[in-house]
Amino acid sequence: EADADGHRTEDSVLAGKIYAELTSLGYRVFYSRETLREYPGEKFEPHIFAALYSAKLMLLVATSSEYVESTWVRNEWKRYLDQVDREGQLGQGKVLLPVTWKMSPKKLPQALGQLEAIELERHDAMSRLMRYVRARIPKKEAGPNPERNSDSIAERLMDRAFREIRDRRWETADQCCEDA
């Protein structure tokens, strides 16, 4: 997220653009800068671990070997890659895709070297990336409410309240709103 001087990294800026593109297509995306904003003052590791465990696809945005090898980033992609290896044998279909910018995929750590990668310098790279995502995660799996990035309890209750209003079940709708 930030370099040694506290400035936002190219990785973070690029991940933000990818996040915006994917959410505009209706995908539920975990991007710490946005997603963890909902949890101020909390420890983030349980949220990150839950996202790693449930994700069907992890995009590893890389502009330098240094950032890819940093403690937190390395921990996250290694955990996910372990799941890919473990669950890949069971046909679960988890995928880790490195997305590079100004960096050759050959400079990725050896554990990532055998993976397909997308180099964003190419003129059609973003559209290729979106096609890649759509091919691996069909729209029906994108999430229950594509307009929203969060799946919080309050949002689910409000979704239910609106369904109850539509079906003219006023008391149930009122209770959902109270609970939310």
Side-chain angles (χ1 to χ4, degrees), residues 62-158:
T63 61
S64 78
S65 298
E66 176 188 354
Y67 293 149
V68 173
E69 292 283 2
S70 69
T71 303
W72 277 99
V73 175
R74 182 178 181 82
N75 181 36
E76 290 172 15
W77 65 255
K78 280 189 70 90
R79 278 185 182 185
Y80 194 80
L81 193 57
D82 287 346
Q83 288 182 38
V84 169
D85 289 343
R86 209 175 25 252
E87 294 185 16
Q89 297 168 3
L90 302 173
Q92 298 298 315
K94 285 183 170 282
V95 176
L96 173 59
L97 177 69
V99 177
T100 62
W101 172 257
K102 298 181 185 174
M103 174 185 168
S104 168
K106 293 175 184 172
K107 293 190 177 192
L108 290 168
Q110 185 176 359
L112 301 171
Q114 80 281 6
L115 300 176
E116 178 181 359
I118 292 183
E119 296 178 74
L120 287 180
E121 288 88 4
R122 292 184 45 173
H123 72 283
D124 65 340
M126 190 61 87
S127 60
R128 279 185 51 230
L129 177 57
M130 294 306 119
R131 282 193 308 274
Y132 184 96
V133 170
R134 282 192 295 265
R136 277 144 189 88
I137 305 174
K139 221 36 164 178
K140 65 182 169 105
E141 296 178 30
N145 188 345
E147 280 77 42
R148 297 192 181 160
N149 184 41
S150 173
D151 205 19
S152 73
I153 293 170
E155 287 177 338
R156 288 192 307 259
L157 284 166
M158 290 307 295

